[in-house]
Amino acid sequence: MASTAAQTTPINPATAPYDYEVIVIGAGVSGIYQIKRLVDLGINATVLDANDGPGGTWWSNRYPGARFDSESYTYGYSFSKELLEEWHWKERFSPQPETLRYLNYVVDKLDLRDHMQFGCKVAAMQFDEEADLWRITLTDGREMSSRIVVTALGPLSTPTLPRIPGIDDFQGIAFHPANWPHEPLDLSGKRVGIIGTGATAIQIIPVIAEQAGHLTVFQRRANWAAPLNNGPISDEEMASIRARYDEIFAACAQSPAAFEHVPDPRSFYDLTAEQRRAFWDELYEQPGFSIWLANFPEIFTEEAANAELSDYIADRIRQRVKDPAVAELLIPKDHGFGVQRLPLETHYFEAYNRDNVELVNAKATPIERITPTGLRTTDREFEFDVLIYATGFDAFTGAYDRIDIRGIGGKKLRDKWARGPVTYLGMLVHGFPNMAMLGGPQVAAANFPRGSETAVDWLTPMFQRLWQQGQTRFDVTAEAEQAWFDAVRQSYDGLLINKAQSWITGYNSNLDGHEYGHTRYNIFATGGVEYTKHLKAAADGYPGIDFA
Ligand code: NAP
């Protein structure tokens, strides 16, 4: 790969009094593209990752049923014609093993592996104000220094276990799906319990229902879900997708969540109730997020519109679940359809028609204790061989909180964000110079790689400017950060997500400071198109950033 170092940086790695110009933390989707851009520029950069290989979330989440909710061909990288021409997605929604293969293929094809160091878990990073460097300490005690640190930690990379007494007492096999064992786990004949009914559990349950001797699902709050409608991609279809790639990515760039699905241009009120039902019949059969993202805009803002759609989806659940009492339990009554992040499913509801699957109402009869042999609810004792805690993540800020990050004056990022994140464009934080985030809090919630590419393509020229000017420090101004926080906060105005009991608004019952009712503004809710406009304005002379 030709280097364009001469155009970019005067810094010679052999003489620089620090180890790297850039350290990227995280070899997931964002980190891979960031290192590619830096290597192309001839920058002395490396990626550190705690895992034993690249892939990030796709390295960790090896649970049965794990797959994209994004159309595979909208999830792959768009920056390389070569990758687009060569890679054949086998399914419309790629399963985890294929995705991990894809990311490894990208790393090898682009010769990036030599720029990655695995088994490197960052414990602390402290900004050295004298030298304008980050000093990094790994959990194994190793130390490194770098002018810039790019944190590509992942928004959902820190699993949270349930806060239930006795969790250490269980004598069987227990894990969070993000730590699903890498070696094959034979569930045949096993008594399996799963706690949680989020997007993760909704993918796992129908798959392991077919394997386990008996499966008990502990549901506290029901969650809306809609069919994924997955299918294979033939050679012919892949050829036509390749021919359409420019069109596909252009469409993603014009849609709020960076999918091909765009909101229906009609108003909810343009149609009769009968016509709306007919439209929803069509959407329900379509692949992916159509029923959510290609729906009427009012479903996200108006209670009445949302309630009618929720009734429609509830009827679909009633049609699919044989036992009416179980169906009613599976229909959320405390929030409307699509107000939380919608899980997509394959035969999820049908899993409850099986004789070996039981749904337990963990709201009516809460789990009191994990026991050595299983768990106890307020009315029953359960025995399990395997317990799965599908209890979610410390979203967005969790991975940051677990590194001791200290900026100017030794101030801790963890303290600054104690009641919720505050950022500039979701990428910079005032008082934490030379640190840039990818996939951090307060970016537009989007089809992840589309957002990653946008962010890397914004940050890299900003770094180049620093180097070209022979400067050593960038920091966002307090005013620019406040203005972005205000924009983020305003982006929630009028949206039904304000009522959501979801990680998107910072709720997690297993974490202090994440109680329902205290919103943590984790995303820029207006969407990708508006976000991109903000990025463009912010790069025009970088008025929000002090370079020194
Ligand atoms: P989640 O949506 O936060 O769901 C966690 C579940 O665990 C909820 O049902 C929650 O119930 C339950 N729970 C937590 N603590 C509990 C306790 N102590 N007792 C009983 N139940 C408890 O987490 P997730 O399913 O891992 O999904 C998180 C996000 O990851 C998704 O929204 C999605 O963005 C992403 N994801 C993506 C994909 C994909 O792209 N294909 C797949 C999986 C996940 P309450 O609601 O009552 O708190």
Short mmCIF file of all heavy atoms in Angstrom, two decimals, residues 58 63 66-70 156 160-164 176-177 195-203 218-223 289 340-343 362-363 367 390-393 501-503 507-510, ligand 1:
data_model
loop_
_atom_site.label_atom_id
_atom_site.label_comp_id
_atom_site.label_asym_id
_atom_site.label_seq_id
_atom_site.Cartn_x
_atom_site.Cartn_y
_atom_site.Cartn_z
N TRP A 58 -18.18 -8.92 17.32
CA TRP A 58 -18.36 -10.18 16.60
C TRP A 58 -17.34 -11.23 17.03
O TRP A 58 -17.46 -12.40 16.71
CB TRP A 58 -18.33 -9.93 15.09
CG TRP A 58 -19.43 -8.99 14.72
CD1 TRP A 58 -19.30 -7.68 14.37
CD2 TRP A 58 -20.84 -9.25 14.74
NE1 TRP A 58 -20.53 -7.11 14.17
CE2 TRP A 58 -21.50 -8.05 14.38
CE3 TRP A 58 -21.61 -10.39 15.02
CZ2 TRP A 58 -22.89 -7.95 14.30
CZ3 TRP A 58 -22.99 -10.29 14.94
CH2 TRP A 58 -23.61 -9.09 14.59
N TYR A 63 -22.90 -16.39 20.69
CA TYR A 63 -24.04 -17.18 21.15
C TYR A 63 -24.84 -17.72 19.94
O TYR A 63 -24.81 -17.13 18.86
CB TYR A 63 -24.93 -16.34 22.07
CG TYR A 63 -25.49 -15.08 21.47
CD1 TYR A 63 -26.62 -15.10 20.66
CD2 TYR A 63 -24.91 -13.84 21.73
CE1 TYR A 63 -27.15 -13.95 20.11
CE2 TYR A 63 -25.44 -12.67 21.19
CZ TYR A 63 -26.55 -12.73 20.38
OH TYR A 63 -27.08 -11.58 19.84
N ALA A 66 -26.71 -15.56 16.99
CA ALA A 66 -26.17 -14.20 16.84
C ALA A 66 -26.02 -13.88 15.36
O ALA A 66 -25.38 -14.61 14.61
CB ALA A 66 -24.82 -14.08 17.53
N ARG A 67 -26.62 -12.80 14.94
CA ARG A 67 -26.50 -12.39 13.53
C ARG A 67 -26.87 -10.92 13.39
O ARG A 67 -27.39 -10.31 14.32
CB ARG A 67 -27.37 -13.25 12.62
CG ARG A 67 -28.85 -13.17 12.88
CD ARG A 67 -29.68 -13.93 11.83
NE ARG A 67 -29.46 -15.36 11.82
CZ ARG A 67 -28.84 -16.02 10.84
NH1 ARG A 67 -28.39 -15.38 9.78
NH2 ARG A 67 -28.69 -17.33 10.88
N PHE A 68 -26.60 -10.37 12.20
CA PHE A 68 -26.96 -8.99 11.92
C PHE A 68 -28.47 -8.78 11.98
O PHE A 68 -29.24 -9.66 11.59
CB PHE A 68 -26.60 -8.60 10.48
CG PHE A 68 -25.15 -8.48 10.14
CD1 PHE A 68 -24.76 -8.51 8.81
CD2 PHE A 68 -24.19 -8.29 11.11
CE1 PHE A 68 -23.43 -8.38 8.45
CE2 PHE A 68 -22.86 -8.15 10.76
CZ PHE A 68 -22.48 -8.20 9.42
N ASP A 69 -28.85 -7.57 12.37
CA ASP A 69 -30.20 -7.08 12.10
C ASP A 69 -30.14 -6.12 10.91
O ASP A 69 -31.16 -5.63 10.45
CB ASP A 69 -30.75 -6.32 13.31
CG ASP A 69 -31.26 -7.28 14.38
OD1 ASP A 69 -31.43 -8.48 14.09
OD2 ASP A 69 -31.46 -6.83 15.52
N SER A 70 -28.93 -5.81 10.48
CA SER A 70 -28.72 -4.96 9.29
C SER A 70 -28.57 -5.89 8.09
O SER A 70 -27.96 -6.96 8.21
CB SER A 70 -27.40 -4.19 9.41
OG SER A 70 -27.32 -3.49 10.61
N LEU A 156 -21.68 -1.37 23.05
CA LEU A 156 -22.32 -2.46 23.80
C LEU A 156 -21.29 -3.56 24.01
O LEU A 156 -21.45 -4.69 23.53
CB LEU A 156 -23.53 -2.98 23.00
CG LEU A 156 -24.69 -1.99 22.86
CD1 LEU A 156 -25.61 -2.36 21.70
CD2 LEU A 156 -25.50 -1.90 24.14
N THR A 160 -23.48 -6.65 31.53
CA THR A 160 -23.86 -6.50 32.94
C THR A 160 -24.63 -7.75 33.38
O THR A 160 -25.55 -8.20 32.70
CB THR A 160 -24.75 -5.25 33.16
OG1 THR A 160 -25.76 -5.19 32.16
CG2 THR A 160 -23.93 -3.98 33.12
N LEU A 161 -24.23 -8.26 34.52
CA LEU A 161 -24.88 -9.43 35.11
C LEU A 161 -26.01 -8.96 36.02
O LEU A 161 -25.99 -7.83 36.51
CB LEU A 161 -23.86 -10.24 35.91
CG LEU A 161 -22.75 -10.89 35.07
CD1 LEU A 161 -21.73 -11.57 35.97
CD2 LEU A 161 -23.33 -11.90 34.07
N PRO A 162 -26.99 -9.82 36.24
CA PRO A 162 -28.10 -9.39 37.11
C PRO A 162 -27.63 -9.24 38.55
O PRO A 162 -26.79 -10.02 39.02
CB PRO A 162 -29.11 -10.54 36.99
CG PRO A 162 -28.31 -11.72 36.56
CD PRO A 162 -27.16 -11.19 35.76
N ARG A 163 -28.19 -8.23 39.21
CA ARG A 163 -27.86 -8.06 40.64
C ARG A 163 -28.83 -8.92 41.44
O ARG A 163 -29.83 -8.43 41.96
CB ARG A 163 -27.98 -6.60 41.02
CG ARG A 163 -26.84 -5.78 40.50
CD ARG A 163 -26.72 -4.48 41.22
NE ARG A 163 -27.73 -3.53 40.79
CZ ARG A 163 -27.63 -2.22 40.97
NH1 ARG A 163 -26.58 -1.71 41.55
NH2 ARG A 163 -28.59 -1.41 40.56
N ILE A 164 -28.55 -10.19 41.47
CA ILE A 164 -29.42 -11.11 42.21
C ILE A 164 -28.54 -11.81 43.25
O ILE A 164 -27.46 -12.30 42.89
CB ILE A 164 -30.05 -12.16 41.26
CG1 ILE A 164 -30.86 -11.46 40.15
CG2 ILE A 164 -30.95 -13.12 42.05
CD1 ILE A 164 -31.42 -12.41 39.10
N HIS A 176 -22.80 -14.78 30.61
CA HIS A 176 -23.49 -13.77 29.80
C HIS A 176 -23.26 -14.17 28.34
O HIS A 176 -22.18 -14.67 28.00
CB HIS A 176 -22.88 -12.40 30.11
CG HIS A 176 -23.61 -11.26 29.48
ND1 HIS A 176 -23.51 -10.95 28.13
CD2 HIS A 176 -24.44 -10.32 30.01
CE1 HIS A 176 -24.26 -9.89 27.87
NE2 HIS A 176 -24.83 -9.48 28.99
N PRO A 177 -24.24 -13.93 27.46
CA PRO A 177 -24.05 -14.34 26.05
C PRO A 177 -22.81 -13.75 25.40
O PRO A 177 -22.23 -14.36 24.49
CB PRO A 177 -25.32 -13.82 25.36
CG PRO A 177 -26.34 -13.73 26.45
CD PRO A 177 -25.60 -13.39 27.71
N ILE A 195 -32.26 -15.63 31.61
CA ILE A 195 -32.86 -14.44 32.24
C ILE A 195 -32.73 -13.29 31.26
O ILE A 195 -31.62 -12.98 30.79
CB ILE A 195 -32.14 -14.10 33.56
CG1 ILE A 195 -32.24 -15.27 34.53
CG2 ILE A 195 -32.74 -12.82 34.18
CD1 ILE A 195 -31.47 -15.07 35.84
N GLY A 196 -33.85 -12.64 30.94
CA GLY A 196 -33.83 -11.51 30.02
C GLY A 196 -34.52 -11.84 28.72
O GLY A 196 -34.50 -12.99 28.25
N THR A 197 -35.17 -10.81 28.14
CA THR A 197 -35.81 -10.97 26.84
C THR A 197 -35.52 -9.74 25.97
O THR A 197 -36.42 -9.17 25.34
CB THR A 197 -37.35 -11.17 27.00
OG1 THR A 197 -37.85 -10.17 27.89
CG2 THR A 197 -37.68 -12.55 27.52
N GLY A 198 -34.25 -9.33 25.94
CA GLY A 198 -33.81 -8.27 25.03
C GLY A 198 -33.48 -8.88 23.68
O GLY A 198 -33.73 -10.07 23.41
N ALA A 199 -32.87 -8.07 22.81
CA ALA A 199 -32.56 -8.52 21.44
C ALA A 199 -31.67 -9.75 21.46
O ALA A 199 -31.79 -10.64 20.60
CB ALA A 199 -31.88 -7.39 20.68
N THR A 200 -30.78 -9.83 22.45
CA THR A 200 -29.87 -10.97 22.52
C THR A 200 -30.65 -12.25 22.82
O THR A 200 -30.53 -13.25 22.10
CB THR A 200 -28.80 -10.71 23.61
OG1 THR A 200 -28.10 -9.51 23.29
CG2 THR A 200 -27.82 -11.85 23.72
N ALA A 201 -31.44 -12.22 23.88
CA ALA A 201 -32.21 -13.41 24.26
C ALA A 201 -33.17 -13.82 23.15
O ALA A 201 -33.38 -15.02 22.89
CB ALA A 201 -32.99 -13.13 25.55
N ILE A 202 -33.72 -12.83 22.47
CA ILE A 202 -34.71 -13.11 21.42
C ILE A 202 -34.05 -13.83 20.24
O ILE A 202 -34.70 -14.60 19.53
CB ILE A 202 -35.44 -11.79 21.03
CG1 ILE A 202 -36.46 -11.47 22.15
CG2 ILE A 202 -36.11 -11.86 19.67
CD1 ILE A 202 -37.15 -10.13 22.05
N GLN A 203 -32.74 -13.62 20.06
CA GLN A 203 -32.02 -14.40 19.04
C GLN A 203 -31.68 -15.80 19.56
O GLN A 203 -31.72 -16.78 18.82
CB GLN A 203 -30.73 -13.68 18.62
CG GLN A 203 -30.97 -12.42 17.80
CD GLN A 203 -29.70 -11.87 17.16
OE1 GLN A 203 -28.62 -11.95 17.73
NE2 GLN A 203 -29.82 -11.28 15.98
N PHE A 218 -37.02 -16.43 31.80
CA PHE A 218 -37.48 -15.51 32.84
C PHE A 218 -37.61 -14.12 32.23
O PHE A 218 -36.61 -13.48 31.91
CB PHE A 218 -36.49 -15.51 34.02
CG PHE A 218 -36.45 -16.84 34.72
CD1 PHE A 218 -35.57 -17.83 34.30
CD2 PHE A 218 -37.33 -17.12 35.76
CE1 PHE A 218 -35.55 -19.07 34.92
CE2 PHE A 218 -37.32 -18.35 36.39
CZ PHE A 218 -36.43 -19.34 35.97
N GLN A 219 -38.86 -13.72 32.05
CA GLN A 219 -39.14 -12.42 31.43
C GLN A 219 -39.66 -11.44 32.48
O GLN A 219 -40.68 -11.69 33.11
CB GLN A 219 -40.21 -12.58 30.34
CG GLN A 219 -40.71 -11.27 29.78
CD GLN A 219 -41.91 -11.43 28.87
OE1 GLN A 219 -41.75 -11.70 27.68
NE2 GLN A 219 -43.11 -11.29 29.41
N ARG A 220 -38.94 -10.33 32.64
CA ARG A 220 -39.43 -9.31 33.57
C ARG A 220 -40.37 -8.36 32.83
O ARG A 220 -41.52 -8.23 33.18
CB ARG A 220 -38.25 -8.56 34.19
CG ARG A 220 -38.64 -7.75 35.41
CD ARG A 220 -37.44 -7.33 36.21
NE ARG A 220 -36.48 -6.60 35.41
CZ ARG A 220 -35.29 -6.19 35.87
NH1 ARG A 220 -34.91 -6.48 37.10
NH2 ARG A 220 -34.48 -5.52 35.09
N ARG A 221 -39.85 -7.73 31.77
CA ARG A 221 -40.72 -6.89 30.93
C ARG A 221 -40.75 -7.51 29.54
O ARG A 221 -39.71 -7.82 28.97
CB ARG A 221 -40.16 -5.47 30.84
CG ARG A 221 -40.18 -4.71 32.16
CD ARG A 221 -39.36 -3.44 32.06
NE ARG A 221 -39.88 -2.57 31.03
CZ ARG A 221 -39.17 -2.14 29.99
NH1 ARG A 221 -37.91 -2.49 29.83
NH2 ARG A 221 -39.71 -1.34 29.10
N ALA A 222 -41.95 -7.63 28.99
CA ALA A 222 -42.05 -8.13 27.62
C ALA A 222 -41.44 -7.11 26.67
O ALA A 222 -41.38 -5.92 26.97
CB ALA A 222 -43.51 -8.37 27.27
N ASN A 223 -40.97 -7.60 25.54
CA ASN A 223 -40.28 -6.76 24.57
C ASN A 223 -40.94 -6.97 23.20
O ASN A 223 -41.19 -8.10 22.81
CB ASN A 223 -38.82 -7.24 24.51
CG ASN A 223 -37.86 -6.15 24.14
OD1 ASN A 223 -38.26 -5.09 23.66
ND2 ASN A 223 -36.59 -6.39 24.36
N PHE A 289 -35.57 -4.22 9.25
CA PHE A 289 -36.24 -3.21 10.06
C PHE A 289 -37.39 -2.48 9.34
O PHE A 289 -37.81 -1.42 9.80
CB PHE A 289 -35.22 -2.16 10.52
CG PHE A 289 -34.34 -2.61 11.66
CD1 PHE A 289 -32.96 -2.49 11.58
CD2 PHE A 289 -34.89 -3.12 12.83
CE1 PHE A 289 -32.14 -2.88 12.64
CE2 PHE A 289 -34.08 -3.51 13.90
CZ PHE A 289 -32.70 -3.39 13.81
N GLN A 340 -38.51 1.28 22.15
CA GLN A 340 -37.17 0.77 22.48
C GLN A 340 -36.56 0.22 21.19
O GLN A 340 -37.26 0.07 20.20
CB GLN A 340 -37.27 -0.34 23.52
CG GLN A 340 -37.88 0.15 24.82
CD GLN A 340 -38.05 -0.93 25.87
OE1 GLN A 340 -38.50 -0.64 26.95
NE2 GLN A 340 -37.71 -2.16 25.56
N ARG A 341 -35.28 -0.10 21.24
CA ARG A 341 -34.62 -0.65 20.06
C ARG A 341 -35.31 -1.98 19.73
O ARG A 341 -35.38 -2.89 20.55
CB ARG A 341 -33.13 -0.86 20.38
CG ARG A 341 -32.22 -1.08 19.18
CD ARG A 341 -32.34 -2.44 18.57
NE ARG A 341 -31.12 -2.84 17.87
CZ ARG A 341 -30.98 -4.00 17.27
NH1 ARG A 341 -31.96 -4.89 17.28
NH2 ARG A 341 -29.85 -4.30 16.67
N LEU A 342 -35.80 -2.09 18.49
CA LEU A 342 -36.61 -3.25 18.11
C LEU A 342 -35.73 -4.49 17.88
O LEU A 342 -34.88 -4.48 17.00
CB LEU A 342 -37.38 -2.95 16.82
CG LEU A 342 -38.26 -4.09 16.32
CD1 LEU A 342 -39.46 -4.29 17.23
CD2 LEU A 342 -38.70 -3.85 14.89
N PRO A 343 -35.95 -5.57 18.63
CA PRO A 343 -35.27 -6.82 18.31
C PRO A 343 -35.94 -7.49 17.09
O PRO A 343 -37.17 -7.44 16.96
CB PRO A 343 -35.48 -7.68 19.56
CG PRO A 343 -35.91 -6.74 20.64
CD PRO A 343 -36.65 -5.64 19.92
N ALA A 362 -41.35 -12.98 35.45
CA ALA A 362 -40.42 -12.61 36.52
C ALA A 362 -40.73 -11.23 37.08
O ALA A 362 -39.98 -10.71 37.91
CB ALA A 362 -38.98 -12.67 36.01
N LYS A 363 -41.82 -10.64 36.61
CA LYS A 363 -42.29 -9.40 37.23
C LYS A 363 -43.28 -9.76 38.35
O LYS A 363 -43.18 -9.26 39.47
CB LYS A 363 -42.98 -8.51 36.19
CG LYS A 363 -43.18 -7.11 36.68
CD LYS A 363 -43.55 -6.18 35.53
CE LYS A 363 -43.43 -4.75 35.98
NZ LYS A 363 -42.21 -4.11 35.55
N ILE A 367 -37.31 -13.08 40.62
CA ILE A 367 -36.23 -13.99 41.04
C ILE A 367 -35.68 -13.46 42.36
O ILE A 367 -35.27 -12.30 42.43
CB ILE A 367 -35.12 -14.05 39.97
CG1 ILE A 367 -35.69 -14.49 38.62
CG2 ILE A 367 -33.99 -14.97 40.42
CD1 ILE A 367 -34.75 -14.30 37.45
N ALA A 390 -28.84 -13.12 30.00
CA ALA A 390 -28.94 -12.23 28.81
C ALA A 390 -29.45 -10.87 29.29
O ALA A 390 -30.49 -10.39 28.85
CB ALA A 390 -29.86 -12.85 27.78
N THR A 391 -28.70 -10.28 30.20
CA THR A 391 -29.19 -9.13 30.97
C THR A 391 -28.60 -7.80 30.52
O THR A 391 -28.61 -6.83 31.27
CB THR A 391 -28.93 -9.37 32.47
OG1 THR A 391 -27.62 -9.94 32.63
CG2 THR A 391 -29.94 -10.34 33.05
N GLY A 392 -28.09 -7.76 29.30
CA GLY A 392 -27.75 -6.48 28.70
C GLY A 392 -26.34 -5.98 28.98
O GLY A 392 -25.46 -6.72 29.46
N PHE A 393 -26.16 -4.71 28.69
CA PHE A 393 -24.83 -4.10 28.70
C PHE A 393 -24.84 -2.76 29.43
O PHE A 393 -25.87 -2.09 29.49
CB PHE A 393 -24.37 -3.86 27.26
CG PHE A 393 -24.19 -5.13 26.47
CD1 PHE A 393 -25.26 -5.71 25.81
CD2 PHE A 393 -22.96 -5.76 26.43
CE1 PHE A 393 -25.11 -6.90 25.10
CE2 PHE A 393 -22.79 -6.95 25.73
CZ PHE A 393 -23.87 -7.52 25.05
N GLN A 501 -37.75 2.51 28.64
CA GLN A 501 -36.94 1.95 29.72
C GLN A 501 -35.85 1.13 29.03
O GLN A 501 -35.93 -0.09 28.99
CB GLN A 501 -37.85 1.06 30.58
CG GLN A 501 -37.53 1.10 32.04
CD GLN A 501 -38.66 0.53 32.87
OE1 GLN A 501 -39.82 0.74 32.57
NE2 GLN A 501 -38.31 -0.22 33.90
N SER A 502 -34.89 1.83 28.47
CA SER A 502 -33.98 1.17 27.53
C SER A 502 -32.56 1.70 27.69
O SER A 502 -32.36 2.83 28.17
CB SER A 502 -34.48 1.48 26.10
OG SER A 502 -33.43 1.51 25.18
N TRP A 503 -31.61 0.90 27.26
CA TRP A 503 -30.21 1.33 27.33
C TRP A 503 -29.97 2.59 26.50
O TRP A 503 -29.03 3.33 26.76
CB TRP A 503 -29.29 0.18 26.90
CG TRP A 503 -29.58 -0.35 25.52
CD1 TRP A 503 -30.44 -1.36 25.21
CD2 TRP A 503 -29.03 0.10 24.28
NE1 TRP A 503 -30.47 -1.56 23.86
CE2 TRP A 503 -29.60 -0.68 23.26
CE3 TRP A 503 -28.11 1.08 23.93
CZ2 TRP A 503 -29.29 -0.51 21.92
CZ3 TRP A 503 -27.79 1.26 22.59
CH2 TRP A 503 -28.38 0.46 21.60
N TYR A 507 -31.09 3.42 30.82
CA TYR A 507 -31.64 2.57 31.89
C TYR A 507 -30.89 1.23 31.94
O TYR A 507 -30.60 0.61 30.91
CB TYR A 507 -33.13 2.33 31.61
CG TYR A 507 -33.70 1.10 32.29
CD1 TYR A 507 -34.02 1.13 33.64
CD2 TYR A 507 -33.89 -0.08 31.58
CE1 TYR A 507 -34.53 0.00 34.28
CE2 TYR A 507 -34.41 -1.21 32.20
CZ TYR A 507 -34.73 -1.16 33.55
OH TYR A 507 -35.22 -2.28 34.16
N ASN A 508 -30.54 0.82 33.15
CA ASN A 508 -30.03 -0.54 33.37
C ASN A 508 -30.22 -0.84 34.84
O ASN A 508 -29.60 -0.21 35.70
CB ASN A 508 -28.54 -0.63 32.99
CG ASN A 508 -28.02 -2.07 33.09
OD1 ASN A 508 -28.36 -2.80 34.02
ND2 ASN A 508 -27.19 -2.46 32.15
N SER A 509 -31.10 -1.77 35.12
CA SER A 509 -31.50 -2.03 36.52
C SER A 509 -30.34 -2.61 37.33
O SER A 509 -30.43 -2.67 38.55
CB SER A 509 -32.68 -2.99 36.56
OG SER A 509 -32.28 -4.28 36.12
N ASN A 510 -29.29 -3.03 36.64
CA ASN A 510 -28.19 -3.67 37.35
C ASN A 510 -27.02 -2.73 37.63
O ASN A 510 -25.94 -3.16 38.04
CB ASN A 510 -27.71 -4.89 36.55
CG ASN A 510 -28.84 -5.89 36.38
OD1 ASN A 510 -29.44 -6.32 37.35
ND2 ASN A 510 -29.18 -6.21 35.14
P1 NAP B 1 -31.23 -5.49 26.77
O1 NAP B 1 -32.02 -5.11 25.57
O2 NAP B 1 -30.80 -4.43 27.69
O3 NAP B 1 -32.10 -6.56 27.54
C1 NAP B 1 -31.74 -7.02 28.82
C2 NAP B 1 -32.84 -7.94 29.31
O4 NAP B 1 -32.46 -8.47 30.56
C3 NAP B 1 -34.16 -7.21 29.52
O5 NAP B 1 -35.20 -8.06 29.16
C4 NAP B 1 -34.15 -6.96 31.04
O6 NAP B 1 -35.43 -6.82 31.59
C5 NAP B 1 -33.51 -8.24 31.49
N1 NAP B 1 -32.93 -8.12 32.83
C6 NAP B 1 -31.85 -7.39 33.19
N2 NAP B 1 -31.59 -7.57 34.49
C7 NAP B 1 -32.51 -8.42 34.95
C8 NAP B 1 -32.77 -8.98 36.23
N3 NAP B 1 -31.99 -8.68 37.28
N4 NAP B 1 -33.82 -9.82 36.37
C9 NAP B 1 -34.60 -10.12 35.31
N5 NAP B 1 -34.41 -9.62 34.06
C10 NAP B 1 -33.38 -8.78 33.90
O7 NAP B 1 -29.91 -6.29 26.37
P2 NAP B 1 -29.58 -7.16 25.09
O8 NAP B 1 -30.67 -8.12 24.80
O9 NAP B 1 -28.24 -7.72 25.28
O10 NAP B 1 -29.59 -6.13 23.90
C11 NAP B 1 -28.86 -4.91 23.99
C12 NAP B 1 -28.67 -4.33 22.63
O11 NAP B 1 -27.63 -5.04 21.96
C13 NAP B 1 -29.84 -4.44 21.68
O12 NAP B 1 -30.87 -3.53 21.92
C14 NAP B 1 -29.16 -4.24 20.36
O13 NAP B 1 -28.93 -2.91 20.05
C15 NAP B 1 -27.84 -4.96 20.57
N6 NAP B 1 -27.96 -6.27 19.96
C16 NAP B 1 -27.89 -6.28 18.61
C17 NAP B 1 -28.07 -7.45 17.95
C18 NAP B 1 -28.02 -7.42 16.46
O14 NAP B 1 -27.68 -6.43 15.84
N7 NAP B 1 -28.36 -8.44 15.82
C19 NAP B 1 -28.30 -8.63 18.66
C20 NAP B 1 -28.35 -8.58 20.04
C21 NAP B 1 -28.18 -7.39 20.69
P3 NAP B 1 -36.05 -5.36 31.87
O15 NAP B 1 -36.45 -4.84 30.53
O16 NAP B 1 -37.20 -5.64 32.77
O17 NAP B 1 -34.97 -4.54 32.51
#
